[in-house]
């Protein structure tokens, strides 16, 4: 969980915590600001400046005097729409979009405080008002009226280059996943075999592997050490939508490499069946063989349930890991499948003949979304993500209807998504 300036996760902060903090008379600075309300343009300037500089916390509902809270602090009027007003302000006035954590304290006597955590953004520079204004945060505002100031040309170049470096780092992180998987599969995994498969031989091990890969949209260099990832992959498991199954499903020992840790398992034919990987730059990857090969049948097939379970478990597991690593930003999530032409998709638990009702004629599926960590950890928004992925997945097999009901059936059956009363 993201630990805040209050010594606890932001979501657990109550009004009394804010009052105690304000009593300490902590001055505003490069990463702390007080706001009396959420209506002024200065809130937008502060959020953008924090994102473009070092990140920071905003406490709304506090008047300041000489950069310190004016006592006694009383808060602001509580409204159910307070979180939405912050989001709407960003959507309407900032580019690119900035993901922030907003927490509204449980109100007392109609008053509350709104706490906003703005991470340092690797999507910077963040512009305001039709891309006309670019702000950074001052380290000291002595002699100045505002903490925010316009960025210089040099700072604009720095922010742009920082973003480009993050994009390149993301590409390298995703290439590392492919390289490890390729290296494992270039060795014949059949019993008693030590044969290396030559690079000139066309690989078939990727066929039928459903790949779900998440990475920070603009990653930092290192999020944690390899040992932490190795321990996490060894010890942390979560139940899946399939009764009796856990994620990661691989029972083999973890392996470490320079950038992270992974588990890999191959079947009796030497083909990969499961591959789970975590890296220091924040990659969470799952490759799972979902293709069911059938002898003497016109089509191989894929069960819908296991495919959905693989994607869902990866999203949920990733959300928990990012929380543990205190990462709260945006993500890139790629879900893809390369399989044989005319592979059938079975929406039921048992094979049905003929396998011609739903078929992927091209043998390929790929979809990309950009959720936030909070999206992964919220059951409602995570379900919406699954709806989107599955809708495109079933369409690649020729299904023209609404596939949400198939997702709902599996989520309800699992007991992991209790219905609200």
């Amino acid at each position: 969980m993201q630990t805040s300036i209050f010594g606890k996760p932001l979501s657990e902060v109550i009004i009394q915590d804010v009052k105690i903090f304000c009593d300490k008379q902590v001055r505003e600075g490069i990463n702390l600001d007080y706001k009396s309300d959420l209506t002024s343009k200065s809130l937008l300037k502060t959020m953008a400046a924090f994102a473009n500089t070092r990140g920071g916390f905003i406490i709304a509902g506090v008047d300041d005097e000489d950069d310190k809270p004016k006592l006694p602090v009383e808060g602001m009027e509580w409204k159910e729409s307070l979180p939405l007003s912050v989001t709407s302000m960003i959507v309407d006035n900032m580019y690119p979009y900035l993901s922030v954590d907003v927490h509204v304290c449980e109100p007392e006597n109609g008053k509350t405080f709104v706490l906003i955590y703005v991470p340092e953004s690797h999507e910077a520079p963040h512009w305001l008002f039709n891309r006309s204004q670019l702000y950074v945060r001052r380290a000291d505002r002595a002699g100045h009226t505002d903490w925010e100031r316009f960025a210089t040309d040099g700072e604009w170049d720095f922010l742009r280059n920082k973003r480009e470096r993050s994009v390149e780092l993301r590409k390298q992180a995703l290439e590392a996943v492919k390289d490890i998987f390729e290296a494992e599969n270039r060795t014949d995994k059949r019993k008693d075999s030590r044969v290396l498969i030559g690079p000139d031989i066309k690989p078939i091990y990727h066929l039928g592997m459903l790949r779900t890969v998440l990475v920070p949209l603009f990653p930092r260099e290192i999020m944690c050490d390899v040992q932490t990832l190795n321990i996490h992959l060894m010890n942390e498991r979560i139940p899946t939508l399939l009764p009796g199954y856990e994620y990661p499903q691989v029972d083999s020992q973890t392996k470490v490499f320079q950038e992270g840790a992974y588990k890999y398992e191959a079947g009796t034919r030497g083909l990969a069946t499961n591959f789970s990987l975590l890296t220091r730059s924040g990659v969470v990857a799952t490759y799972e063989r979902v293709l069911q090969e059938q002898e003497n049948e016109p089509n191989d097939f894929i069960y819908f349930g296991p495919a959905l379970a693989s994607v869902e478990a990866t999203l949920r597991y990733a959300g928990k890991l990012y929380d543990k690593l205190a990462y709260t930003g945006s993500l890139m999530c790629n879900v893809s499948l390369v399989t044989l032409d005319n592979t059938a998709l079975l929406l039921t638990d048992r094979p049905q003949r003929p396998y011609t009702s739903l078929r992927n004629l091209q043998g390929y599926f790929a979809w990309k979304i950009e959720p936030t960590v909070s999206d992964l950890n919220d059951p409602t928004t995570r379900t919406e993500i699954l709806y989107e992925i599955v809708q495109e997945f079933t369409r690649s097999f020729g299904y023209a209807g609404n596939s949400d009901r198939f997702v709902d059936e599996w989520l309800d059956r699992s007991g992991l998504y209790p219905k609200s009363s």
Side-chain angles (χ1 to χ4, degrees), residues 175-243:
E175 283 299 320
V177 180
K178 296 178 181 178
D179 291 344
I180 291 295
F181 186 68
E182 292 278 339
E184 282 286 351
N185 282 281
R186 285 295 177 185
T187 301
D188 193 331
K189 296 297 192 299
R190 287 173 292 188
K191 187 177 181 180
D192 299 327
S193 175
R194 297 293 184 270
V195 178
L196 290 178
I197 302 173
D200 56 326
I201 298 177
K202 185 177 180 179
I204 62 169
Y205 46 76
H206 66 286
L207 291 176
M209 299 295 290
L210 180 62
R211 294 166 289 188
T212 307
V213 182
L214 296 102
V215 62
L217 190 58
F218 294 95
R220 298 176 173 87
E221 285 72 12
I222 295 176
M223 295 181 74
C224 68
D225 59 84
V226 171
Q227 185 62 20
T228 298
L229 296 175
N230 188 39
I231 294 173
H232 189 87
L233 195 57
M234 283 193 298
N235 299 329
E236 297 294 328
R237 294 196 173 192
I238 59 173
T240 75
L241 302 182
L242 303 177

Side-chain angles (χ1 to χ4, degrees), residues 43-171:
L43 175 61
L44 265 173
K45 290 167 58 177
T46 300
M47 289 192 292
F50 276 162
N52 289 333
T53 313
R54 298 183 188 174
F57 286 89
I58 299 170
I59 305 177
V62 177
D63 290 314
D64 69 278
E65 189 172 51
D66 296 327
D67 296 336
K68 296 184 293 185
K70 185 177 181 181
L71 301 178
V73 294
E74 298 181 356
M76 57 191 296
E77 182 182 353
W78 179 86
K79 296 179 182 178
E80 190 174 355
S81 61
L82 286 175
L84 181 60
S85 66
V86 176
T87 303
S88 298
M89 190 181 299
I90 294 172
V91 170
D92 293 341
N93 298 284
M94 193 180 302
Y95 180 85
Y97 175 77
L98 175 66
S99 176
V100 301
D101 283 352
V102 181
H103 172 63
V104 180
C105 297
E106 190 69 25
E108 294 180 5
N109 301 318
K111 296 287 188 177
T112 188
F113 295 99
V114 178
L115 314 176
I116 305 171
Y117 170 64
V118 182
E120 179 183 351
S121 175
H122 287 258
E123 299 176 57
H126 290 274
W127 294 82
L128 292 180
F129 315 123
N130 296 319
R131 306 190 199 186
S132 63
Q133 299 177 23
L134 181 64
Y135 291 95
V136 293
R137 184 80 172 178
R138 302 179 193 273
D140 185 350
R141 77 165 181 173
H144 301 279
T145 304
D146 298 320
W147 280 99
E148 295 79 25
R149 63 173 174 79
F150 288 115
T152 64
D153 290 343
E155 288 167 331
W156 182 84
D157 285 337
F158 171 80
L159 292 171
R160 183 185 60 189
N161 291 336
K162 183 172 73 171
R163 178 171 180 162
E164 291 175 353
R165 288 195 300 271
S166 292
V167 171
E168 182 60 31
L169 182 60
R170 185 180 70 216
K171 292 179 181 178

Side-chain angles (χ1 to χ4, degrees), residues 1 8-14 17 103:
M1 279 290 219
K8 61 172 68 174
L10 204 64
S11 59
E12 298 177 8
V13 176
I14 61 175
D17 295 323
H103 172 63

Side-chain angles (χ1 to χ4, degrees), residues 340-343 359-364 396-398:
L340 301 172
D341 295 352
N342 292 322
T343 296
R359 292 183 299 160
N360 191 314
L361 301 179
Q362 298 178 334
Y364 182 75
S396 73
F397 285 87

Side-chain angles (χ1 to χ4, degrees), residues 193-340:
S193 175
R194 297 293 184 270
V195 178
L196 290 178
I197 302 173
D200 56 326
I201 298 177
K202 185 177 180 179
I204 62 169
Y205 46 76
H206 66 286
L207 291 176
M209 299 295 290
L210 180 62
R211 294 166 289 188
T212 307
V213 182
L214 296 102
V215 62
L217 190 58
F218 294 95
R220 298 176 173 87
E221 285 72 12
I222 295 176
M223 295 181 74
C224 68
D225 59 84
V226 171
Q227 185 62 20
T228 298
L229 296 175
N230 188 39
I231 294 173
H232 189 87
L233 195 57
M234 283 193 298
N235 299 329
E236 297 294 328
R237 294 196 173 192
I238 59 173
T240 75
L241 302 182
L242 303 177
Y245 286 85
E246 292 183 324
Y247 177 90
Q249 292 186 23
V250 183
D251 292 326
S252 60
Q253 293 294 317
T254 59
K255 298 181 181 181
V256 298
F257 65 110
Q258 185 176 359
E259 293 301 320
Y262 68 95
K263 289 187 172 188
Y264 175 93
E265 187 173 22
T268 56
R269 297 175 54 201
L271 296 177
T273 55
N274 290 284
F275 174 66
S276 302
L277 177 143
L278 310 175
T279 75
R280 300 188 302 169
S281 54
V283 174
V284 178
T286 302
Y287 290 16
E288 185 165 348
R289 185 168 299 282
V290 294
L291 183 67
Q292 305 293 321
E293 298 180 13
Q294 298 293 298
E295 295 183 2
N296 303 319
E297 295 290 350
N299 300 115
D300 295 330
F301 65 87
I302 292 172
Y303 283 125
F304 174 80
L308 173 65
S310 178
V311 176
E312 191 278 338
T314 306
L315 298 182
R316 192 155 36 92
Y317 191 86
K320 291 179 179 292
L321 176 61
Y322 293 132
D323 248 5
K324 182 177 180 179
L325 300 180
Y327 177 72
T328 60
S330 299
L331 303 160
M332 177 182 289
C333 175
N334 295 310
V335 182
S336 60
L337 172 71
V338 177
T339 186
L340 301 172

